[in-house]
């Protein structure tokens, strides 16, 4: 009987340690952004801001057009989420529910792309975007990220969990494949769609390397790229850079907190 409480205590202790490790970088950045004095790189680090102030955040708004960068990031993230859900669901449904020659081969090729790091695709993607005259456009930033093997895999598994009897009953009633897909299957896998959408939104929001390669006009930069102008303007002001970093992180953190129940439902289904 004593072993169970000890095991529970051990589990919670491990979770608390992991939580501290995950939260500490953000907390240190927030403390640095709100502090107005003290050594930023002191060891042991300061866990509470000294003479807290929002002046560093105000300086970010004065130094860079952060609202314009924010608007660009929202546009890129929303378009990426919409097109990824649309295209990946259209790819996952036939792989999960249709029988056709070469289905396993196609799925195997899609899975094989998982072993390739994203950096390997930069050259090919950049040549493609250049040939399509999409450099310095939002389409050029969005296009390489609208289809991924992970999204197809998750949605394929979601479609496979829908009972086959439901699909057969719809076909007996005369429903077309498009009606089955759009009116029956998509509503049933809404938690998985929400999971893929949340992961995609966070990834698109935090993307730095690809937008910095494709985009050259500062007024079209997303927030993740535009905020780095603080490094050049305030090369020695670590506090202002930390404030800009916090402003970049807060939208995705807030979005995840409000949508975590959909995310967890989707992940529970994916684990099953």
């Amino acid at each position: 009987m004593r072993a169970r409480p000890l095991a529970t205590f051990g589990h919670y202790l491990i979770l608390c340690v992991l939580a501290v490790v995950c939260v500490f970088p953000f907390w240190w950045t927030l403390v640095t952004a709100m502090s107005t004095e003290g050594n930023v790189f002191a060891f042991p680090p300061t866990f509470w801001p000294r003479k807290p102030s929002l002046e560093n955040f105000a300086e970010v708004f004065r130094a860079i057009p952060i609202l314009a960068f924010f608007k660009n990031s929202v546009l890129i993230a929303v378009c990426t989420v919409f097109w990824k859900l649309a295209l990946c669901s259209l790819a996952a449904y036939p792989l999960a529910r249709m029988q056709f020659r070469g289905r396993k081969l196609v799925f195997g090729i899609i899975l094989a792309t998982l072993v390739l790091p994203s950096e390997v695709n930069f050259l090919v993607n950049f040549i493609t975007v250049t040939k399509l005259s999409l450099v310095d456009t939002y389409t050029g930033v969005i296009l390489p990220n609208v289809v991924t093997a992970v999204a197809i895999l998750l949605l394929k598994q979601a479609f496979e969990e829908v009972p086959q009897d439901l699909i057969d009953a719809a076909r007996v009633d005369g429903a077309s494949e498009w009606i089955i897909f759009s009116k029956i299957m998509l509503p049933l896998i809404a938690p998985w769609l929400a999971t893929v959408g949340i992961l995609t939104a966070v990834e698109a929001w935090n993307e730095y390397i690809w937008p910095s390669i494709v985009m050259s006009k500062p007024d079209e930069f997303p927030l993740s790229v535009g905020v780095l102008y603080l490094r050049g303007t305030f090369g020695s002001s670590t506090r202002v850079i930390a404030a800009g970093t916090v402003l970049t992180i807060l939208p995705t953190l807030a979005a995840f907190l409000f949508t975590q129940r959909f995310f967890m439902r989707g992940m529970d289904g994916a684990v099953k």
Side-chain angles (χ1 to χ4, degrees), residues 172-187:
V172 169
D173 290 339
S176 64
E177 287 295 334
W178 176 252
I179 294 297
I180 294 173
F181 168 74
S182 60
K183 301 296 184 180
I184 298 176
M185 300 295 280
L186 289 183

Side-chain angles (χ1 to χ4, degrees), residues 101-124:
R101 182 175 299 178
R103 182 170 68 101
K104 292 183 179 180
L105 176 61
V106 172
F107 184 60
I109 294 174
I110 293 174
L111 288 181
T113 62
L114 290 173
V115 302
L116 297 175
S118 59
E119 290 77 6
V120 173
N121 300 322
F122 282 168
L123 180 59
V124 176

Side-chain angles (χ1 to χ4, degrees), residues 143-215:
L143 187 60
N145 298 317
V146 294
V147 177
T148 60
V150 173
I152 294 175
L153 178 62
L154 287 176
L155 295 179
K156 176 180 179 294
Q157 185 170 352
F159 284 127
E160 288 176 344
E161 292 194 7
V162 178
Q164 182 64 36
D165 293 341
L166 186 62
I167 301 175
D168 294 338
R171 288 172 177 163
V172 169
D173 290 339
S176 64
E177 287 295 334
W178 176 252
I179 294 297
I180 294 173
F181 168 74
S182 60
K183 301 296 184 180
I184 298 176
M185 300 295 280
L186 289 183
L188 289 176
I189 66 165
W192 289 269
L193 292 173
T195 300
V196 174
I198 294 168
L199 293 175
T200 302
V202 173
E203 181 182 3
W205 187 273
N206 295 327
E207 182 68 36
Y208 165 71
I209 298 179
W210 179 246
S212 64
I213 293 174
V214 177
M215 309 292 286

Side-chain angles (χ1 to χ4, degrees), residues 124-138:
V124 176
N125 289 337
F126 184 75
I127 294 174
T128 303
V129 168
T130 302
K131 294 294 184 181
L132 295 175
S133 300
L134 296 177
V135 176
D136 278 335
T137 64
Y138 295 125

Side-chain angles (χ1 to χ4, degrees), residues 11 13 20 25 32 34 37 39 48 51 99 105 127 129 154 159-160 186-187 197 202-203 233 238 242 252:
H11 293 161
L13 181 61
V20 170
T32 302
M34 298 187 64
E37 65 177 26
N39 185 2
W48 195 256
K51 290 188 177 181
Q99 300 295 328
L105 176 61
I127 294 174
V129 168
L154 287 176
F159 284 127
E160 288 176 344
L186 289 183
V202 173
E203 181 182 3
T233 306
T238 306
T252 53

Side-chain angles (χ1 to χ4, degrees), residues 19-35 37-52 239:
V20 170
V21 172
C22 294
V23 171
F24 175 75
F26 175 75
W27 179 253
W28 180 87
T29 305
L30 180 61
V31 169
T32 302
M34 298 187 64
S35 299
E37 65 177 26
N39 185 2
V40 174
F41 302 104
F43 187 84
T46 303
F47 294 100
W48 195 256
R50 297 180 179 178
K51 290 188 177 181
R239 303 187 195 283

